[in-house]
Amino acid sequence: MEVLIVGTGLMGAGMGARLAERGHQVYGYDKRLESDPNLKEEIMKEGITPISHYAQMKHIFPNRKRILISVPDGAVDSVLREIKPFLSRGDIVMDGGNSDYLDTRRRAASLRRRGIYMLGIGVSGGVDGREMGYCLMVGGKPYAYEIVKPLL
């Protein structure tokens, strides 16, 4: 299954590496890729294919997009504004920013009006998560969860 991880910091890259090890095709977008040439090599070593622009999603996903946002909660709304033009009905966005549930509900309602699903995902595991696994607490529509369940 293909997934795009937005935010390839410690948590995002660790989760991406675990997914890649399990046979998923993982793509990564991070604003720091523009200014940090070493980051591209680092995430590629983890099995993550870097992308330089959200428009590339149309080539990555044959049908439904699956996007995991792994940025601090304060940046989630900014990421959503940036990716919204590239989203289509039936896509699934997973908010892994450990957001307040009221913010997640607001974001989900906004996306739902366009036929896009959002799952709120609380992520725990820190630096040990890469090796030992992450604890994920998922909330949202069961239909969307069943689709991304193999990733989670």
Side-chain angles (χ1 to χ4, degrees):
M1 183 177 288
E2 302 88 2
V3 64
L4 170 66
I5 297 180
V6 177
T8 58
L10 186 62
M11 293 289 276
M15 292 174 76
R18 287 183 64 83
L19 289 168
E21 287 171 359
R22 285 157 179 78
H24 298 286
Q25 180 61 54
V26 182
Y27 297 88
Y29 174 83
D30 197 303
K31 285 186 175 188
R32 297 173 302 146
L33 285 168
E34 298 170 12
S35 59
D36 184 353
N38 296 325
L39 182 59
K40 184 175 182 177
E41 288 180 32
E42 288 174 26
I43 66 170
M44 286 175 70
K45 286 179 188 172
E46 297 288 358
I48 300 169
T49 302
I51 67 167
S52 58
H53 193 276
Y54 293 122
Q56 291 175 270
M57 288 191 290
K58 68 181 174 185
H59 304 293
I60 294 170
F61 298 99
N63 300 307
R64 173 182 290 121
K65 296 175 201 76
R66 291 164 298 278
I67 301 162
L68 172 62
I69 300 174
S70 183
V71 298
D73 177 47
V76 173
D77 284 319
S78 174
V79 169
L80 286 173
R81 277 190 300 277
E82 292 170 7
I83 66 172
K84 251 185 195 179
F86 306 100
L87 298 176
S88 304
R89 179 172 291 283
D91 290 347
I92 300 172
V93 177
M94 298 165 275
D95 175 3
N98 288 330
S99 300
D100 181 278
Y101 78 99
L102 293 173
D103 289 333
T104 301
R105 284 183 177 175
R106 172 182 51 79
R107 294 168 184 146
S110 173
L111 291 172
R112 190 171 34 250
R113 287 191 282 277
R114 294 186 50 210
I116 300 162
Y117 297 96
M118 176 173 234
L119 296 172
I121 303 179
V123 181
S124 185
V127 294
D128 294 325
R130 167 65 178 92
E131 298 302 321
M132 311 236 347
Y134 295 93
C135 177
L136 305 175
M137 293 124 320
V138 183
K141 297 289 182 193
Y143 172 78
Y145 171 74
E146 287 300 322
I147 291 168
V148 298
K149 189 176 179 179
L151 294 169
L152 305 176

